[in-house]
Amino acid sequence: MAPTTTAAADCEGARELLDLLQRVQSEALSALGPADFDPKLYVDLPLATSARAASDALAALPRPPSRAEMEAYVARHFGAAGSDLVTADPPDFAPEPPGFLPRVENREARAWALEVHALWKDLARRVAPAVAARPERHTLLPLPGGVVVPGSRFREVYYWDSYWVIRGLLVSKMYDTAKGIARNLVYLVEKYSFVLNGARSYYTNRSQPPLLSSMILEIYKATGDLDFVKRVFPSLLKEHSFWTSEVHNVAIMDKHGQVHNLCRYQAMWNKPRPESATIDEQLASKLNSEATKEKLYHQVASTAESGWDFSSRWMRDPSDMTTLATTYIIPMERDIAVFAKLLGENATSDKFLEASKARHIAIDSILWNSEMGQWLDYWISTDGNSQGVYQWKPDSHNRNIFASNFIPLWLNAHNSELVQFADEAKSITVMRSFQTSGLLRAAGIATSLSNTGQQWDFPNGWAPVQHLIAEGLLNSGSEEARVLAEDIATRWLRTNYAAYKTTGAMHEKYDVEACGKSGGGGEYKPQTGFGWSNGVVLSFLEEFGWPRDKEIGCL
């Protein structure tokens, strides 16, 4: 699905800048060397002079330029990365909001929770007026309201991160800020027909897991603001159309001859990702043909759309990044059915309820593996452009164990008032499978069991994964599952607390093998801040509390 005419014009206007910045990125790598080199820094630079002047000056540099020459060139023609965002105090922030975490009784735990709560002020920004005034000088996109950034190198809003940021803001009673974040994402839907991966011009070719409707649902549950739901509802329908369009839809015929529709991550891109172009080009250098390289670039960008960039989950050969192949998605129909019912649009509600049922049948028919008691990713043809009906094959399941194999339990639990695809007995089967999977470690849930050096693999644990699985267990109906969910939350909270006490920061990811150790691996250095980690900590503390006599540090 193509962006709107206005959005396409804006993208055209930004292309000249992005081409320039990618050339700067390449020259900077040759000047500075690969050690600690972050290619994203260079495509985040706001232009301080004209594009022509900057381009001519770049062409005049020696080849390769020295470090001093490169640094002088960047300082002369560009502003600092992130300088087109300005700090902004959220108007609804209070140092200790009324009703904040009443069940957190432990003094140390409560003091820490208040410090995590205070981090919203550190991460709050507004897009500088210059971005809207001179968009051709910025890869940052203008947004109508305040934002909360993840932190560190992530200087812009990200789509699926925002779900956990909003969950944390709701615990912090920052309802207006949470609504503002959601409105920014709605603005992107209205401009581009979908929520971008992030609010940068180089992200207009892909999205991320579609959690906007879930954000709206959480805001409604916390505030009861039906007018807010009514205003954003048309945008949810528009986003749903994007995810069910020919770009993302995939039809698979099961062993009984029934055709099911699922969605796959499929970026609209077959070039190096601008924010990681030098990395992608190096990865593709071992491939011989342009067609093969373009297929790899498409899969790399599609994996980035999944949010799990990168993991052996997407690799047919876990040791080889060039074997990426991506599919699977979180459905949205359940939320839309709820909102339509609330708004009195019964026909729309019935339509999406039926779509939700069909989606859940598809998940169970295509992804469920009864032998393992898990929902497995399904490998489809490596031809990412095929629009035919695929024939289901049992050997197309990815039988490796990943935390994502248990996330449908969260989808199931959130459909308790509509339709479920796992009853209590099946939920217990899934719980038992999880307990014996080897994923639950001393400090939380590992993303996979394979230590590949990729950041979405062992031994890393990520806040969204802990939250989705714990919340799925919590709401699945059994007391044993509730106890397991609290155990997961306890392990995660302790490692976050210990790392915070040691480093003074919240981290993007953690090493689940050791309490208090941040994670590593991947294509960039470990980051701090950190939006979704903060949100999950606050959400877990609200859900489970922390008794006065319970130790918060590592045991």
Side-chain angles (χ1 to χ4, degrees):
M1 183 175 295
T4 63
T5 303
T6 302
D10 288 348
C11 290
E12 184 64 34
R15 192 165 292 126
E16 182 182 4
L17 173 62
L18 198 51
D19 287 346
L20 168 63
L21 292 175
Q22 285 186 245
R23 297 200 306 273
V24 173
Q25 180 191 86
S26 180
E27 291 298 334
L29 177 62
S30 66
L32 306 179
D36 294 330
F37 182 79
D38 184 1
K40 183 178 183 296
L41 170 71
Y42 296 92
V43 291
D44 289 356
L45 298 172
L47 187 61
T49 61
S50 72
R52 173 64 63 85
S55 182
D56 289 348
L58 182 66
L61 287 175
R63 295 292 184 273
S66 68
R67 174 182 289 269
E69 289 167 332
M70 194 69 219
E71 290 176 347
Y73 164 78
V74 169
R76 185 178 308 114
H77 292 281
F78 300 94
S83 61
D84 40 12
L85 281 166
V86 295
T87 57
D89 284 340
D92 52 354
F93 175 85
E96 185 165 2
F100 180 72
L101 298 178
R103 296 172 56 223
V104 177
E105 300 168 348
N106 180 283
R107 184 184 303 173
E108 290 177 78
R110 186 165 191 81
W112 172 53
L114 286 168
E115 291 184 34
V116 173
H117 160 72
L119 291 174
W120 298 132
K121 293 185 68 177
D122 294 343
L123 298 173
R125 305 281 191 277
R126 290 192 71 87
V127 178
V131 175
R134 301 291 300 271
E136 75 281 2
R137 292 191 168 200
H138 305 266
T139 59
L140 189 69
L141 299 176
L143 293 171
V147 305
V148 173
V149 299
S152 296
R153 76 194 288 267
F154 300 111
R155 309 170 186 92
E156 53 282 313
V157 167
Y158 283 82
Y159 182 5
W160 80 313
D161 295 57
S162 296
Y163 174 75
W164 288 278
V165 168
I166 284 175
R167 291 294 298 264
L169 289 169
L170 295 176
V171 175
S172 294
K173 315 300 181 187
M174 295 172 65
Y175 304 131
D176 289 342
T177 299
K179 289 178 186 178
I181 290 172
R183 279 193 291 266
N184 285 333
L185 303 183
V186 166
Y187 167 83
L188 294 174
V189 173
E190 291 306 308
K191 187 165 185 177
Y192 297 95
S193 298
F194 64 99
V195 183
L196 310 185
N197 182 144
R200 291 275 180 185
S201 61
Y202 52 74
Y203 286 140
T204 55
N205 55 64
R206 65 182 190 257
S207 187
Q208 273 191 329
L211 289 168
L212 178 57
S213 63
S214 295
M215 299 179 211
I216 304 302
L217 183 61
E218 293 299 331
I219 290 170
Y220 173 73
K221 285 159 58 177
T223 67
D225 189 344
L226 192 57
D227 286 340
F228 177 72
V229 173
K230 187 174 184 178
R231 287 194 297 273
V232 303
F233 184 69
S235 299
L236 300 182
L237 298 178
K238 182 178 287 189
E239 188 195 26
H240 180 266
S241 295
F242 168 77
W243 281 104
T244 55
S245 71
E246 68 279 359
V247 173
H248 291 96
N249 189 70
V250 57
I252 304 175
M253 181 182 292
D254 68 19
K255 59 185 177 183
H256 303 296
Q258 180 71 40
V259 176
H260 302 278
N261 290 292
L262 288 170
C263 297
R264 59 182 159 194
Y265 297 110
Q266 181 154 250
M268 299 167 287
W269 194 250
N270 62 358
K271 303 173 186 176
R273 294 165 298 152
E275 75 278 13
S276 301
T278 53
I279 295 172
D280 291 356
E281 289 164 356
Q282 176 63 33
L283 176 64
S285 63
K286 66 175 78 171
L287 303 176
N288 296 322
S289 72
E290 279 305 308
T292 307
K293 289 181 180 181
E294 287 181 359
K295 184 175 287 188
L296 172 64
Y297 293 144
H298 172 75
Q299 291 294 344
V300 167
S302 297
T303 303
E305 185 171 67
S306 80
W308 285 51
D309 44 336
F310 292 94
S311 167
S312 60
R313 176 186 177 191
W314 306 125
M315 301 176 196
R316 294 180 184 271
D317 177 356
S319 65
D320 186 356
M321 273 275 287
T322 64
T323 64
L324 283 167
T326 313
T327 185
Y328 191 67
I329 199 89
I330 295 175
M332 302 167 282
E333 289 90 355
R334 167 265 303 180
D335 297 330
I336 294 175
V338 169
F339 296 142
K341 194 75 171 178
L342 287 169
L343 296 172
E345 298 188 17
N346 293 332
T348 301
S349 180
D350 291 344
K351 172 187 173 182
F352 278 91
L353 179 57
E354 288 305 310
S356 182
K357 291 177 181 178
R359 182 78 68 179
H360 299 155
I361 291 169
I363 289 172
D364 227 32
S365 299
I366 304 302
L367 305 180
W368 175 250
N369 184 289
S370 57
E371 177 189 344
M372 295 177 66
Q374 301 171 24
W375 292 275
L376 306 180
D377 287 323
Y378 185 83
W379 295 117
I380 58 175
S381 168
T382 55
D383 179 4
N385 295 316
S386 175
Q387 296 301 321
V389 176
Y390 295 93
Q391 181 68 48
W392 185 86
K393 298 177 182 179
D395 60 355
S396 289
H397 271 156
N398 182 352
R399 295 176 65 89
N400 293 314
I401 293 175
F402 300 95
S404 55
N405 297 2
F406 302 95
I407 287 175
L409 198 60
W410 178 79
L411 304 176
N412 183 69
H414 276 64
N415 281 276
S416 58
E417 296 178 5
L418 297 174
V419 57
Q420 294 183 296
F421 50 85
D423 57 18
E424 186 172 346
K426 191 170 192 175
S427 295
I428 290 173
T429 297
V430 175
M431 179 183 67
R432 296 274 182 262
S433 179
F434 172 74
Q435 288 172 316
T436 59
S437 68
L439 290 171
L440 185 57
R441 316 298 281 207
I445 301 169
T447 311
S448 77
L449 299 180
S450 302
N451 192 341
T452 64
Q454 299 298 334
Q455 64 172 353
W456 284 85
D457 272 322
F458 187 88
N460 285 341
W462 294 76
V465 169
Q466 318 300 312
H467 191 254
L468 289 169
I469 293 178
E471 197 161 75
L473 289 165
L474 180 67
N475 295 320
S476 65
S478 78
E479 176 60 21
E480 185 180 358
R482 195 205 72 79
V483 171
L484 178 57
E486 185 168 4
D487 179 42
I488 292 167
T490 295
R491 295 174 194 229
W492 189 249
L493 288 166
R494 281 182 169 142
T495 200
N496 278 248
Y497 174 81
Y500 182 86
K501 282 301 187 183
T502 301
T503 66
M506 295 291 292
H507 296 263
E508 180 191 25
K509 54 187 177 282
Y510 294 84
D511 183 336
V512 297
E513 284 283 86
C515 183
K517 185 177 179 182
S518 61
E523 62 182 27
Y524 56 82
K525 294 191 297 184
Q527 304 295 296
T528 59
F530 197 86
W532 64 17
S533 297
N534 307 349
V536 168
V537 160
L538 294 174
S539 295
F540 274 160
L541 287 172
E542 181 177 59
E543 181 61 53
F544 298 106
W546 201 272
R548 193 178 311 277
D549 57 353
K550 186 175 180 179
E551 176 61 49
I552 183 65
C554 298
L555 298 181

